[in-house]
Amino acid sequence: MMQGKPNREIIVCRDAAALATTVVDKIIDAASEAIATRGRFTLVLSGGSTPKAAYALLAERKASVDWSKTWLFFGDERVVPHDDARSNYHLASESLLRPAGIAREHVFAVPTHLPTSGECAAAYESTLRSFFNDAGDATFPAFDLVLLGLGDDGHTASLFPGKPAVHEKKAWVTWSPPGVLPPPVDRVTLTLPTINSARKIAFLVGGAGKATIVGELLASGATSDKYPAGLVQPTHGHAVWLLDEAAASQLSPEH
Ligand code: 6PG
């Protein structure tokens, strides 16, 4: 393990399988702590392909989580039908939700069927506000654990470099046109203030293809919107970067 900035921890795992195991251990520990302390566990699932192995392993280890006290959300979603192979809900459903038998009423999918992406984002925000019983004040939801991926352009969730969504300061959820990476469809995404209000944030990054961006991001401490992932700075919580050795190969020991 390497220690990053004061509230940032970096854990390097041997390979993809070890990364998946570490992610699942973190989820199980966070669930146990949240349920013991607050009576429920709110988990935000990441999109992309990296989490697939971790979701499948979590389904195998489903007995380690009290799903009756666990609620699942999505950090971002592609504005496509939920049965579309590009959908983050589809990935989670195939690898975790169905295999683990998680009840639909414990899963809050992002609506993607409304006429505009903006309406999809507003509807999801309304769902979150209802769940967190928000009285409409300025606070943001404190998810117990937010899982995030990292694109090799420095994006996370669907906060793409140079897009307005990165600078949204009031809304809990917003939408974005596509970034430079596929698929070229609109997205719905949690905003940075929402992500940064989480109690725990875990980045899951694997593969040699991410080594350059990981090195640039964690070495330089980049905090410009050039790399939106670098703007993830938990307000009160703690961020851990879970990497495999391939993704960490350009990190120097002191990071
Ligand atoms: C998405 C994601 C996105 C993803 C990164 C990494 O909808 O694509 O949420 O932020 O996590 O692009 O994707 P990979 O895991 O596929 O490399």
Side-chain angles (χ1 to χ4, degrees):
M1 180 176 85
M2 295 187 274
Q3 191 54 41
K5 289 184 175 178
N7 66 346
R8 183 179 80 192
E9 179 187 1
I10 300 171
I11 296 177
V12 180
C13 307
R14 187 179 57 256
D15 54 22
L19 176 60
T21 299
T22 303
V23 171
V24 171
D25 290 345
K26 289 285 179 193
I27 293 170
I28 291 169
D29 291 349
S32 172
E33 182 271 335
I35 291 169
T37 312
R38 292 177 291 281
R40 72 180 188 188
F41 176 47
T42 54
L43 171 63
V44 175
L45 297 177
S46 167
S49 56
T50 303
K52 188 173 181 179
Y55 294 164
L57 183 59
L58 182 58
E60 286 175 28
R61 294 171 59 183
K62 62 186 178 185
S64 301
V65 175
D66 182 348
W67 298 103
S68 72
K69 295 187 175 74
T70 294
W71 278 267
L72 301 178
F73 306 82
F74 288 82
D76 70 327
E77 184 56 280
R78 292 88 179 271
V79 185
V80 295
H82 287 158
D83 60 359
D84 185 305
R86 296 169 297 177
S87 161
N88 289 334
Y89 175 84
H90 179 76
L91 172 93
S93 178
E94 293 297 297
S95 54
L96 172 61
L97 308 181
R98 284 170 44 192
I102 297 170
R104 287 297 298 264
E105 59 269 21
H106 280 251
V107 181
F108 293 97
V110 177
T112 58
H113 60 286
L114 298 175
T116 68
S117 305
E119 287 169 276
C120 292
Y124 201 50
E125 173 156 339
S126 173
T127 297
L128 298 187
R129 285 183 181 274
S130 301
F131 180 87
F132 284 94
N133 289 323
D134 174 64
D137 62 22
T139 57
F140 289 91
F143 288 105
D144 292 307
L145 176 59
V146 173
L147 302 179
L148 292 173
L150 175 68
D152 54 19
D153 63 345
H155 84 259
T156 192
S158 285
L159 300 169
F160 300 116
K163 298 293 186 202
V166 175
H167 303 291
E168 174 56 49
K169 297 282 186 279
K170 291 201 177 84
W172 290 16
V173 184
T174 191
W175 75 279
S176 178
V180 296
L181 297 176
V185 296
D186 279 0
R187 311 294 182 91
V188 171
T189 184
L190 298 186
T191 58
L192 269 171
T194 297
I195 292 169
N196 285 334
S197 298
R199 291 186 174 89
K200 292 188 179 82
I201 296 169
F203 278 92
L204 294 53
V205 190
K210 302 288 174 70
T212 301
I213 186 64
V214 167
E216 285 179 16
L217 201 59
L218 296 186
S220 67
T223 55
S224 73
D225 70 355
K226 177 184 175 192
Y227 297 144
L231 299 175
V232 173
Q233 314 274 349
T235 312
H236 305 292
H238 172 81
V240 60
W241 284 76
L242 304 175
L243 312 170
D244 65 12
E245 284 178 359
S249 58
Q250 291 185 24
L251 267 188
S252 44
E254 69 270 12
H255 292 104

